[in-house]
Amino acid sequence: MGKVRIGVNGYGTIGKRVAWAVMKQPDMELVGVVKTKPSWEALSATARGIRLYVPEGKEELFENTGIKVAGTVQDLLQAIDVVVDATPAGVGATYARRYREAGIKAVFQGGEEKSIADVSFNALYTYEAALGKASVRVVSCNTTGILRVLYAFRKVGNVRSVRVTIVRRGADLKEVKKGPIEGLLLKPAKPPSHHAEDVRSVAGHDLDIITYSVVAPTTLAHMHVMFVRFDSNVSRENIIKAFEETPRIVLLKASTASSTAEVRELARDLGRCGDIYEVIVWPESLWVKGNEAGVAYMVHQEAIVVPENIDAIRAITGIVEDGAQSIRLTDESLGISRWLP
Ligand code: NAD
């Protein structure tokens, strides 16, 4: 089988990172990306040599600002096997029918309703369930973070309940019109936040989980504090071992860097463009007493779902049937878990 041909609809925070990651995969080819406005993001694509496709009738608008257009959205849909839809939350739903009619498979993002796709996707949990499906929805950044940490806890024992407080970044770096610029916002006021249901859609509908969500005036990353209760007593050593053995989790000593600012800057210093695909777990934060454990960790919202999107493409096309193998391929290509000495 030749390379899988990919188009990315929506070249924003998530879409551009997925497009760059696709370009690094040996079994995928990026055909092009869709932009609706001739903004700086359109320039970012063409400057990297990425072909730009635009909605029908907008070719002139782009060409007039000096941005070269390769074709229309329809041209792109006809030239690809899989579309990664990374349009703003809710916009993906307006394209779903068009993707089906074009006969292509689709990867949607966490801002869409669960019902948009056949499977809610996380590579550690639902790779096999997604094999050969027409569409999947990669769950959101916070949900992905919770799922990876929960996966490690489940290696240690039977998890009876999960309680998470999520401190969410208020906006991404480029979102100049968004806040809050002061204050912490409990959103929603009544728990659980939507993340609990989202985690259940992947980890199992009978999971006892409650999440609180607090929006904070920062653009750098989310921070979570998770408490779990097991059926029987657990040991600190076994939990640390489970974190070490779980893909896409990195243990970083708080004595080295305990703030989201320091960790992001460290990632920049070590050649990652500041992008952190892994959940960063602080080992000092691990608290264990009998059958209870608690831990704090960081989730870089702009990057964490990127490897999941790559695995989602392999799952729905069936080019790799084994989830663990796809994870290895993706992680190798993106330098995952190898950026810290
Ligand atoms: P974004 O606003 O940064 O990017 C969306 C892109 O889609 C922009 O380039 C915009 O110009 C383009 N667009 C807008 N309308 C369009 C249309 N009708 N057709 C084609 N393109 C259109 O958004 P984002 O933050 O990348 O979010 C995309 C999805 O990823 C959402 O579902 C979101 O919930 C999810 N997500 C976001 C984050 C995050 O932290 N930013 C993390 C995980 C998941």
Side-chain angles (χ1 to χ4, degrees):
M1 188 179 181
K3 290 186 177 189
V4 177
R5 299 166 304 162
I6 314 291
V8 176
N9 190 12
Y11 186 80
T13 301
I14 300 302
K16 67 182 177 185
R17 288 176 168 82
V18 173
W20 303 338
V22 165
M23 291 163 83
K24 292 185 174 165
Q25 305 309 310
D27 47 0
M28 298 177 198
E29 177 199 347
L30 180 72
V31 175
V33 303
V34 174
K35 274 302 305 170
T36 50
K37 289 185 222 110
S39 62
W40 61 272
E41 283 171 328
L43 183 65
S44 146
T46 52
R48 281 179 177 248
I50 297 173
R51 281 184 291 270
L52 211 61
Y53 293 79
V54 304
E56 287 69 17
K58 287 212 175 168
E59 299 89 325
E60 219 177 286
L61 176 69
F62 280 74
E63 301 277 0
N64 286 347
T65 52
I67 296 174
K68 201 170 166 336
V69 168
T72 64
V73 175
Q74 198 54 29
D75 294 332
L76 179 65
L77 298 186
Q78 280 166 359
I80 57 177
D81 306 302
V82 178
V83 64
V84 177
D85 184 292
T87 58
V91 174
T94 66
Y95 279 101
R97 190 167 159 200
R98 212 164 156 191
Y99 301 151
R100 273 197 305 276
E101 286 175 357
I104 55 177
K105 297 189 179 234
V107 176
F108 293 99
Q109 307 305 312
E112 302 302 323
E113 295 291 329
K114 197 171 65 171
S115 56
I116 197 167
D118 299 329
V119 175
S120 286
F121 187 83
N122 175 277
L124 293 170
Y125 292 77
T126 51
Y127 192 95
E128 277 72 26
L131 275 176
K133 290 282 190 297
S135 61
V136 291
R137 168 181 163 267
V138 173
V139 291
S140 75
C141 45
N142 280 303
T143 304
T144 300
I146 293 171
L147 284 166
R148 286 192 198 152
V149 174
L150 175 62
Y151 186 89
F153 275 133
R154 278 180 164 181
K155 281 183 168 186
V156 177
N158 193 35
V159 171
R160 202 190 293 170
S161 65
V162 183
R163 307 287 178 251
V164 194
T165 299
I166 299 165
V167 181
R168 303 171 65 180
R169 60 91 181 96
D172 291 336
L173 185 63
K174 67 170 190 186
E175 292 179 308
V176 290
K177 291 183 184 158
K178 238 174 146 183
I181 29 176
E182 251 313 346
L184 297 169
L185 173 65
L186 183 60
K187 191 182 172 187
K190 187 170 184 266
S193 60
H194 72 273
H195 308 95
E197 184 46 38
D198 217 17
V199 169
R200 275 195 213 100
S201 74
V202 173
H205 290 284
D206 53 353
L207 180 69
D208 175 0
I209 177 169
I210 297 292
T211 52
Y212 280 76
S213 164
V214 179
V215 185
T218 176
T219 60
L220 297 170
H222 308 299
M223 193 189 285
H224 298 183
V225 180
M226 179 190 288
F227 290 95
V228 294
R229 192 184 289 269
F230 294 89
D231 275 346
S232 50
N233 289 358
V234 290
S235 77
R236 185 183 176 81
E237 294 68 38
N238 284 352
I239 295 173
I240 292 286
K241 190 162 169 278
F243 283 141
E244 285 169 349
E245 288 173 358
T246 299
R248 299 171 186 168
I249 287 183
V250 164
L251 287 159
L252 177 65
K253 285 202 177 75
S255 55
T256 304
S258 60
S259 81
T260 54
E262 292 165 315
V263 180
R264 285 290 306 278
E265 181 124 354
L266 182 61
R268 258 198 294 267
D269 291 357
L270 299 185
R272 266 291 189 89
C273 297
D275 277 356
I276 304 174
Y277 305 115
E278 305 89 341
V279 173
I280 302 292
V281 171
W282 286 290
E284 292 99 320
S285 74
L286 179 62
W287 166 86
V288 182
K289 187 178 177 197
N291 68 338
E292 287 183 89
V295 75
Y297 54 93
M298 163 181 160
V299 171
H300 178 205
Q301 76 282 357
E302 295 165 315
I304 190 167
V305 297
V306 172
E308 306 295 334
N309 271 271
I310 299 299
D311 293 329
I313 294 169
R314 289 209 183 88
I316 56 176
T317 53
I319 48 171
V320 172
E321 290 193 350
D322 175 29
Q325 194 194 339
S326 177
I327 289 174
R328 273 195 301 278
L329 280 171
T330 306
D331 291 5
E332 182 65 28
S333 67
L334 299 178
I336 286 181
S337 301
R338 284 191 283 103
W339 61 286
L340 281 173

